[in-house]
Amino acid sequence: MENGRYHRQIILNGFGKAAQAKLSEAKVLVIGAGGLGCPALQYLAAAGIGYLGIIDGDHIELSNLHRQILYSTAEIGMQKSVVAAKKLTELNPEIEIVAHPFDIDKQNVLEIISDYDIVLDGSDNFKTRYLVNDATAQLKKPLIFAAVSGFEGQLAIFNLADNNGTATNYRDLFPIPPSVGEIPNCEENGVLGVLPGIIGTMAAAECIKLVTGIGKPLTNTLLHYNLLTNEQYAIEISPGTDYTFDDLNTSQPNFMEIGAEELDQFIANPSAILIDVREVNEVPQLNSKLYQKIPMSGFDTYLTTEIEQKNIILICQHGIRSVAAAEALLDKYGNTKNIYSLKGGIVKWRNYFTAHE
């Protein structure tokens, strides 16, 4: 351990070398190297977490940079987890940093999380939040939950028993995932860059508290922060009884997310169909004989029909509704069809679709 690096926290009354040693022995997984994950990762690496995992399959985009300040303009297009791991290693070469340059899903979630002591979830979508919650609850791994919406942020710690032996999880707050489009994400609703910076740093602080045993962590407590008033309040979370965890059996079939650069090979295949689940007024449209527009508002009715094609590609504006449609088709066809969703949607791949209008 390099005492000079950590001197200012080691000399803290109530911290000392014993707490620093616990940090160096800890294994923490951060899910999402975005607005919440970046500040959390930077402070955890700087504090001396001995083994730090980063899982994120996304690439750096220009619109990320106002809040994901770990990255630079020159790194646009590069893989987030790989760039983050390199920069954090430069920040602190005394720790081990592992990049998982792919998305977490039902096939890998249990295997990956089982290698870590604590999970910090900085994801930006409900599908991942429920998946990570269910996996950590089943594996009995402490979960630090962080989220932002509009001008407000939330923070909590799940799967950790309090003095009464009670442990809660995300489903005790929200038993059932919201329907697609019911709650807008940051991509649709916008966010001030400083807000995830604040919440992400607070999440890192909760992680350090958990590892070292200092202070009072947010066990079974949801902290709510309002950026506009700089006010915060905490509410106690009570265990619920009306929810079930997702089946994380890895033998289950799954759909795949693809990028626009992979669309051409599918569109050229006569056994493929391209289904746009946006509403009728949303543009642009893809000029292809395989193209069909089946709005999500009427997708349940469409599910009663049979799709002849072997390869089914679903698209929407942001890649959220297409995931929901892919899951619905997966429930119907299982592994008898190849089902794909365009990751990031038309917004992410606008240049591609403009060229194909």
Side-chain angles (χ1 to χ4, degrees):
M1 183 186 304
E2 190 178 308
N3 286 346
R5 180 183 297 274
Y6 310 116
H7 175 70
R8 297 296 176 90
Q9 58 195 42
I10 288 176
I11 63 173
L12 274 169
N13 185 27
F15 195 86
K17 292 183 178 181
Q20 190 63 50
K22 291 179 181 178
L23 291 179
S24 70
E25 296 167 0
K27 300 177 69 175
V28 176
L29 175 66
V30 176
I31 297 175
L36 292 161
C38 280
L41 284 164
Q42 287 169 279
Y43 278 99
L44 291 175
I49 293 293
Y51 191 95
L52 195 54
I54 312 165
I55 183 163
D56 197 313
D58 282 347
H59 294 74
I60 300 165
E61 301 178 22
L62 179 63
S63 61
N64 298 150
L65 300 184
H66 87 293
R67 65 194 184 281
Q68 299 173 26
I69 59 176
L70 179 60
Y71 311 123
S72 69
T73 303
E75 292 158 345
I76 291 174
M78 299 174 68
Q79 199 140 31
K80 288 183 180 180
S81 59
V82 175
V83 174
K86 180 178 181 295
K87 290 195 168 183
L88 295 173
T89 299
E90 293 171 352
L91 171 66
N92 189 352
E94 304 299 321
I95 65 175
E96 186 172 356
I97 301 172
V98 177
H100 303 284
F102 47 80
D103 291 329
I104 201 160
D105 57 33
K106 286 186 177 182
Q107 277 60 51
N108 60 33
V109 63
L110 293 176
E111 180 180 359
I112 291 175
I113 287 177
S114 63
D115 289 335
Y116 292 88
D117 305 319
I118 296 173
V119 176
L120 193 159
D121 183 10
S123 61
D124 61 357
N125 63 87
F126 288 104
K127 177 187 174 184
T128 302
R129 287 178 192 165
Y130 280 93
L131 175 66
V132 172
N133 173 78
D134 293 359
T136 53
Q138 293 179 44
L139 293 172
K140 295 181 170 56
K141 302 279 186 178
L143 171 63
I144 301 170
F145 161 75
V148 293
S149 178
F151 296 104
E152 300 173 337
Q154 296 82 37
L155 190 65
I157 296 177
F158 298 126
N159 309 326
L160 193 67
D162 57 20
N163 294 333
N164 297 319
T166 301
T168 57
N169 67 83
Y170 187 63
R171 288 186 185 267
D172 289 313
L173 277 175
F174 308 106
I176 302 174
S179 59
V180 177
E182 182 179 345
I183 300 177
N185 60 15
C186 290
E187 191 171 19
E188 299 168 317
N189 206 32
V191 63
L192 281 179
V194 67
L195 177 60
I198 293 170
I199 302 301
T201 303
M202 293 172 72
E206 289 300 307
C207 184
I208 292 170
K209 286 159 60 178
L210 281 184
V211 171
T212 61
I214 64 170
K216 182 181 179 182
L218 290 170
T219 307
N220 298 333
T221 302
L222 180 70
L223 179 71
H224 185 94
Y225 173 80
N226 188 313
L227 177 78
L228 297 180
T229 62
N230 211 31
E231 294 176 324
Q232 54 184 307
Y233 62 86
I235 61 173
E236 184 177 343
I237 305 171
S238 300
T241 57
D242 56 348
Y243 61 80
T244 57
F245 293 132
D246 280 345
D247 181 9
L248 300 179
N249 183 352
T250 57
S251 65
Q252 294 296 316
N254 198 7
F255 67 89
M256 292 179 59
E257 289 189 289
I258 60 173
E261 67 274 3
E262 299 170 87
L263 274 180
D264 282 328
Q265 66 183 24
F266 289 109
I267 292 174
N269 189 331
S271 65
I273 182 173
L274 184 66
I275 301 176
D276 183 352
V277 298
R278 296 174 300 154
E279 299 305 309
V280 293
N281 61 325
E282 294 182 76
V283 295
Q285 295 183 11
L286 181 62
N287 183 19
S288 169
K289 62 182 180 180
L290 305 178
Y291 178 86
Q292 288 190 28
K293 195 158 203 174
I294 311 294
M296 200 67 193
S297 58
F299 204 75
D300 285 344
T301 301
Y302 180 73
L303 286 173
T304 61
T305 64
E306 290 298 320
I307 300 176
E308 296 180 358
Q309 291 85 350
K310 177 72 173 180
N311 300 297
I312 306 170
I313 306 104
L314 297 131
I315 63 172
C316 67
Q317 202 75 352
H318 295 281
I320 299 172
R321 286 170 288 179
S322 60
V323 166
E327 290 177 337
L329 289 174
L330 183 66
D331 288 339
K332 177 176 180 177
Y333 293 109
N335 57 9
T336 63
K337 303 277 188 183
N338 299 322
I339 302 171
Y340 307 91
S341 172
L342 179 65
K343 185 176 182 180
I346 291 176
V347 167
K348 182 171 183 178
W349 305 102
R350 186 174 298 278
N351 291 340
Y352 175 91
F353 284 96
T354 300
H356 287 71
E357 281 186 281

